[in-house]
């Protein structure tokens, strides 16, 4: 059985946990939860997968998206700037992932 990227389940957990905490009114600011959840999900992807061609794109994008939401919510950065900046970052990270110096993602079955 091949193992897929951990990014999607981690994002689901982060968003679901944030939503649950908001619904239970345990934390007043949903925006703060989204920011922390995105950043935590990015860090978790790196922690679980290490640095590989998949995580070198996914993790920084989650972290950068969290940072962009922070700038939007607390410093008034508009989406007209944030979205193109995130697109440029995604393209740069995708090019970086093509580097021969970054290892391929190792499937669970392939590990010694």
């Amino acid at each position: 059985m091949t193992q897929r990227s951990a990014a999607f389940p981690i994002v689901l957990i982060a968003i679901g946990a944030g939503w649950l905490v908001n619904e239970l009114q345990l934390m007043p600011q949903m925006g703060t939860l989204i920011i922390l959840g995105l950043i935590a999900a990015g860090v978790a992807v790196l922690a679980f997968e290490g640095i590989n061609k998949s995580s070198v794109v996914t993790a920084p994008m989650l972290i950068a998206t969290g940072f962009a939401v922070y700038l939007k919510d607390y410093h008034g950065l508009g989406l007209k700037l944030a979205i193109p900046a995130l697109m440029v970052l995604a393209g740069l990270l995708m090019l970086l992932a093509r580097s021969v110096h970054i290892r391929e993602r190792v499937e669970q079955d392939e590990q010694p």
Side-chain angles (χ1 to χ4, degrees):
M1 181 171 97
T2 62
Q3 181 180 355
R4 296 183 190 161
S5 172
F8 185 66
I10 290 171
V11 170
L12 283 177
I13 292 167
I15 292 172
W19 192 350
L20 182 62
V21 169
N22 183 57
E23 290 299 321
L24 294 173
Q25 297 179 350
L26 297 175
M27 190 164 183
Q29 293 284 337
M30 184 61 179
T32 303
L33 287 176
I34 291 171
I35 293 164
L36 293 174
L38 286 167
I39 293 171
V43 171
V45 166
L46 281 178
F48 286 118
E49 292 192 16
I51 296 177
N52 60 48
K53 291 189 182 289
S54 173
S55 68
V56 79
V57 176
T58 306
M61 282 305 299
L62 287 168
I63 293 168
T65 303
F67 188 63
V69 172
Y70 167 76
L71 291 175
K72 177 190 164 294
D73 287 354
Y74 295 102
H75 296 286
L77 177 72
L79 292 177
K80 288 183 179 183
L81 293 175
I83 292 174
L86 288 170
M87 289 175 67
V88 169
L89 178 62
L92 290 170
L93 291 169
M94 287 178 196
L95 286 175
L96 176 66
R98 294 174 177 242
S99 170
V100 296
H101 301 293
I102 298 176
R103 66 180 172 87
E104 292 287 335
R105 186 171 174 276
V106 177
E107 298 295 331
Q108 193 70 3
D109 293 349
E110 297 174 15
Q111 292 180 352

